[in-house]
Amino acid sequence: MVALIGLLTIYTVTKGKTLNKETLAYLMESPPRRFFVTQGSAFITRISMARRDLYQGDVHDYQLIKRETFQAIYPNTNDRGAAPTMFLGDMHVRYGMVLTCIGYIGFLVFSLPFIKGVDNMPERKLHIWWSLFIYFFLLGVAEVSYTSSLRILLALFNLMFLVAVPYFRIANANK
């Protein structure tokens, strides 16, 4: 529970929101909706729109990609919204399929040792599994932006710290 409250606080601070009743409702609704509902459709829509050259403006502005993808998914909606997906969706729009594939291979080369290391631990430590899940969850809803990078790096450093803590030798203060 403490980890969940901590992560929601970090999410709130990085979003620049104040903590009130409306923000709490947003925090409870937004992550599951982003991960389970819009994630897959937004990725496919990005690929489709990029292949048909439907993005109007500078695709290096990540807000533009999210807004126009949202409008393509929900064409009769006047509301503003976002259509998040894994960071590879934005990479595909900006840089094309070849660099996206290279980025995905780099992501796998970087991430698989963490997965293998956690999986091969002699004991199943749920706090480490939870941190690994949060790392991949954030990657699943992240775009290529400064704030998303900070969240992902924080989750990665937390995971590395939790894995490394048992190997730290703490000097005995009674000597």
Side-chain angles (χ1 to χ4, degrees), residues 22-174:
E22 182 181 311
T23 304
L24 287 174
Y26 171 78
L27 291 174
M28 293 296 131
E29 179 262 340
S30 178
R33 177 182 46 82
R34 288 172 177 247
F35 194 74
F36 294 112
V37 178
T38 61
Q39 229 271 0
S41 64
F43 192 84
I44 293 167
T45 304
R46 276 176 170 77
I47 293 170
S48 174
M49 289 178 68
R51 289 188 177 171
R52 293 183 287 148
D53 269 342
L54 295 179
Y55 286 104
Q56 307 280 324
D58 182 18
V59 294
H60 293 285
D61 175 18
Y62 77 93
Q63 292 292 339
L64 176 113
I65 295 172
K66 287 179 7 177
R67 278 192 313 265
E68 291 192 13
T69 304
F70 179 83
Q71 288 302 318
I73 293 172
Y74 307 104
N76 297 326
T77 304
N78 291 330
D79 293 336
R80 291 183 60 188
T85 191
M86 191 169 182
F87 67 95
L88 294 170
D90 287 353
M91 284 183 68
H92 181 79
V93 171
R94 291 183 187 143
Y95 308 114
M97 186 178 66
V98 173
L99 287 179
T100 302
C101 289
I102 291 170
Y104 184 62
I105 291 168
F107 161 73
L108 289 177
V109 166
F110 182 76
S111 297
L112 286 177
F114 286 107
I115 296 169
K116 185 177 179 182
V118 171
D119 196 38
N120 287 337
M121 293 181 107
E123 297 176 29
R124 295 287 184 205
K125 298 180 179 178
L126 293 180
H127 62 286
I128 294 175
W129 280 94
W130 176 253
S131 293
L132 186 66
F133 167 77
I134 292 300
Y135 169 70
F136 284 107
F137 178 82
L138 289 173
L139 281 172
V141 296
E143 69 272 347
V144 180
S145 71
Y146 177 72
T147 54
S148 289
S149 299
L150 288 178
R151 285 186 213 123
I152 292 168
L153 283 174
L154 182 64
L156 183 62
F157 286 139
N158 181 57
L159 177 63
M160 290 176 6
F161 179 76
L162 289 174
V163 170
V165 163
Y167 298 106
F168 291 148
R169 300 281 183 213
I170 299 175
N172 190 351
N174 296 330

